[in-house]
Amino acid sequence: MYKNIEKHVRLKLKDQVEYQTGQVVSRTLVQNESVSMTLFSFDKGEEISTHAAAGDAMVTVLEGTGRFTVGDKVFILNEGETIIMPKDIPHAVFGEEKFKMQLVVSY
């Protein structure tokens, strides 16, 4: 089920995806019909534009600060904070500064 990550080792999720200048980087850990789990790094000022997901999307910030627009509400999340973006509700993500997040979408 898990891919792109070592098994049977102690690790920090934030260390499993690197920053790249001027980019959003993703690393998929799980992808199937029930769930997807992806790690992201955002350079400052980079974004994922408004879109909607086919499942509920739970984000946990692993490092830094991100801005999340969910419907017409804006949330600033810092390391350790989590938000759930409901299925079919438009949302966007913006790097207020360099930041990393874990995204889990359940279908």
Side-chain angles (χ1 to χ4, degrees), residues 18-25 41-44 46 98:
E18 298 299 324
Y19 292 111
Q20 291 188 19
T21 303
Q23 293 187 33
V24 175
V25 177
S41 68
F42 287 71
D43 196 12
K44 181 178 181 177
E46 294 301 314
K98 285 178 148 182

mmCIF file of all heavy atoms in Angstrom, residues 18-25 41-44 46 98:
data_model
loop_
_atom_site.group_PDB
_atom_site.id
_atom_site.type_symbol
_atom_site.label_atom_id
_atom_site.label_comp_id
_atom_site.label_asym_id
_atom_site.label_seq_id
_atom_site.Cartn_x
_atom_site.Cartn_y
_atom_site.Cartn_z
ATOM 1 N N GLU A 18 11.543 17.453 -0.204
ATOM 2 C CA GLU A 18 12.491 18.572 -0.171
ATOM 3 C C GLU A 18 11.895 19.818 -0.823
ATOM 4 O O GLU A 18 11.020 19.725 -1.682
ATOM 5 C CB GLU A 18 13.778 18.186 -0.910
ATOM 6 C CG GLU A 18 14.522 17.016 -0.286
ATOM 7 C CD GLU A 18 14.986 17.278 1.138
ATOM 8 O OE1 GLU A 18 15.369 18.419 1.448
ATOM 9 O OE2 GLU A 18 14.938 16.336 1.945
ATOM 10 N N TYR A 19 12.385 20.972 -0.439
ATOM 11 C CA TYR A 19 12.023 22.230 -1.085
ATOM 12 C C TYR A 19 12.773 22.348 -2.406
ATOM 13 O O TYR A 19 13.920 21.914 -2.518
ATOM 14 C CB TYR A 19 12.399 23.431 -0.209
ATOM 15 C CG TYR A 19 11.595 23.545 1.058
ATOM 16 C CD1 TYR A 19 12.193 23.330 2.294
ATOM 17 C CD2 TYR A 19 10.244 23.873 1.023
ATOM 18 C CE1 TYR A 19 11.458 23.450 3.465
ATOM 19 C CE2 TYR A 19 9.512 23.988 2.199
ATOM 20 C CZ TYR A 19 10.124 23.774 3.407
ATOM 21 O OH TYR A 19 9.398 23.888 4.568
ATOM 22 N N GLN A 20 12.122 22.976 -3.389
ATOM 23 C CA GLN A 20 12.770 23.353 -4.628
ATOM 24 C C GLN A 20 12.362 24.780 -4.943
ATOM 25 O O GLN A 20 11.164 25.118 -4.861
ATOM 26 C CB GLN A 20 12.397 22.408 -5.769
ATOM 27 C CG GLN A 20 12.987 21.024 -5.596
ATOM 28 C CD GLN A 20 12.777 20.138 -6.808
ATOM 29 O OE1 GLN A 20 12.504 20.603 -7.899
ATOM 30 N NE2 GLN A 20 12.893 18.840 -6.598
ATOM 31 N N THR A 21 13.325 25.603 -5.279
ATOM 32 C CA THR A 21 13.089 27.016 -5.527
ATOM 33 C C THR A 21 12.015 27.204 -6.601
ATOM 34 O O THR A 21 12.096 26.610 -7.678
ATOM 35 C CB THR A 21 14.389 27.714 -5.965
ATOM 36 O OG1 THR A 21 15.378 27.514 -4.945
ATOM 37 C CG2 THR A 21 14.168 29.203 -6.181
ATOM 38 N N GLY A 22 11.009 28.019 -6.267
ATOM 39 C CA GLY A 22 9.961 28.371 -7.218
ATOM 40 C C GLY A 22 8.999 27.253 -7.565
ATOM 41 O O GLY A 22 8.310 27.330 -8.584
ATOM 42 N N GLN A 23 8.921 26.229 -6.705
ATOM 43 C CA GLN A 23 8.073 25.086 -7.048
ATOM 44 C C GLN A 23 7.256 24.576 -5.867
ATOM 45 O O GLN A 23 7.579 24.826 -4.715
ATOM 46 C CB GLN A 23 8.945 23.927 -7.547
ATOM 47 C CG GLN A 23 9.632 24.205 -8.856
ATOM 48 C CD GLN A 23 10.327 22.968 -9.384
ATOM 49 O OE1 GLN A 23 9.878 21.847 -9.183
ATOM 50 N NE2 GLN A 23 11.439 23.174 -10.057
ATOM 51 N N VAL A 24 6.219 23.829 -6.240
ATOM 52 C CA VAL A 24 5.497 22.972 -5.306
ATOM 53 C C VAL A 24 5.949 21.557 -5.642
ATOM 54 O O VAL A 24 5.909 21.146 -6.801
ATOM 55 C CB VAL A 24 3.965 23.075 -5.486
ATOM 56 C CG1 VAL A 24 3.248 22.076 -4.590
ATOM 57 C CG2 VAL A 24 3.483 24.497 -5.222
ATOM 58 N N VAL A 25 6.429 20.828 -4.653
ATOM 59 C CA VAL A 25 6.922 19.464 -4.852
ATOM 60 C C VAL A 25 5.983 18.516 -4.118
ATOM 61 O O VAL A 25 5.567 18.797 -2.994
ATOM 62 C CB VAL A 25 8.360 19.311 -4.309
ATOM 63 C CG1 VAL A 25 8.848 17.876 -4.457
ATOM 64 C CG2 VAL A 25 9.300 20.291 -5.007
ATOM 65 N N SER A 41 5.821 20.108 -0.476
ATOM 66 C CA SER A 41 6.603 21.259 -0.033
ATOM 67 C C SER A 41 6.279 22.414 -0.973
ATOM 68 O O SER A 41 6.136 22.222 -2.181
ATOM 69 C CB SER A 41 8.104 20.959 -0.030
ATOM 70 O OG SER A 41 8.595 20.800 -1.339
ATOM 71 N N PHE A 42 6.121 23.585 -0.398
ATOM 72 C CA PHE A 42 5.820 24.802 -1.144
ATOM 73 C C PHE A 42 6.943 25.803 -0.912
ATOM 74 O O PHE A 42 7.271 26.091 0.243
ATOM 75 C CB PHE A 42 4.536 25.454 -0.636
ATOM 76 C CG PHE A 42 3.265 24.746 -0.995
ATOM 77 C CD1 PHE A 42 2.936 23.534 -0.402
ATOM 78 C CD2 PHE A 42 2.388 25.297 -1.905
ATOM 79 C CE1 PHE A 42 1.761 22.883 -0.712
ATOM 80 C CE2 PHE A 42 1.198 24.656 -2.223
ATOM 81 C CZ PHE A 42 0.886 23.445 -1.627
ATOM 82 N N ASP A 43 7.494 26.344 -1.969
ATOM 83 C CA ASP A 43 8.392 27.482 -1.806
ATOM 84 C C ASP A 43 7.519 28.697 -1.470
ATOM 85 O O ASP A 43 6.318 28.719 -1.787
ATOM 86 C CB ASP A 43 9.189 27.724 -3.087
ATOM 87 C CG ASP A 43 10.390 28.631 -2.872
ATOM 88 O OD1 ASP A 43 10.754 28.908 -1.702
ATOM 89 O OD2 ASP A 43 10.993 29.078 -3.869
ATOM 90 N N LYS A 44 8.077 29.681 -0.829
ATOM 91 C CA LYS A 44 7.336 30.893 -0.483
ATOM 92 C C LYS A 44 6.714 31.484 -1.744
ATOM 93 O O LYS A 44 7.380 31.633 -2.767
ATOM 94 C CB LYS A 44 8.266 31.920 0.171
ATOM 95 C CG LYS A 44 7.560 33.183 0.584
ATOM 96 C CD LYS A 44 8.473 34.161 1.271
ATOM 97 C CE LYS A 44 7.707 35.402 1.677
ATOM 98 N NZ LYS A 44 8.558 36.349 2.403
ATOM 99 N N GLU A 46 4.455 30.155 -3.668
ATOM 100 C CA GLU A 46 3.928 29.156 -4.606
ATOM 101 C C GLU A 46 2.553 28.694 -4.136
ATOM 102 O O GLU A 46 2.226 28.805 -2.961
ATOM 103 C CB GLU A 46 4.876 27.968 -4.727
ATOM 104 C CG GLU A 46 6.195 28.330 -5.366
ATOM 105 C CD GLU A 46 6.047 28.896 -6.772
ATOM 106 O OE1 GLU A 46 5.281 28.323 -7.584
ATOM 107 O OE2 GLU A 46 6.688 29.921 -7.058
ATOM 108 N N LYS A 98 7.997 29.299 3.068
ATOM 109 C CA LYS A 98 8.260 27.900 2.751
ATOM 110 C C LYS A 98 7.506 27.045 3.756
ATOM 111 O O LYS A 98 7.546 27.322 4.954
ATOM 112 C CB LYS A 98 9.750 27.582 2.877
ATOM 113 C CG LYS A 98 10.609 28.085 1.772
ATOM 114 C CD LYS A 98 12.043 27.715 2.084
ATOM 115 C CE LYS A 98 12.818 27.448 0.847
ATOM 116 N NZ LYS A 98 14.199 27.045 1.123
#
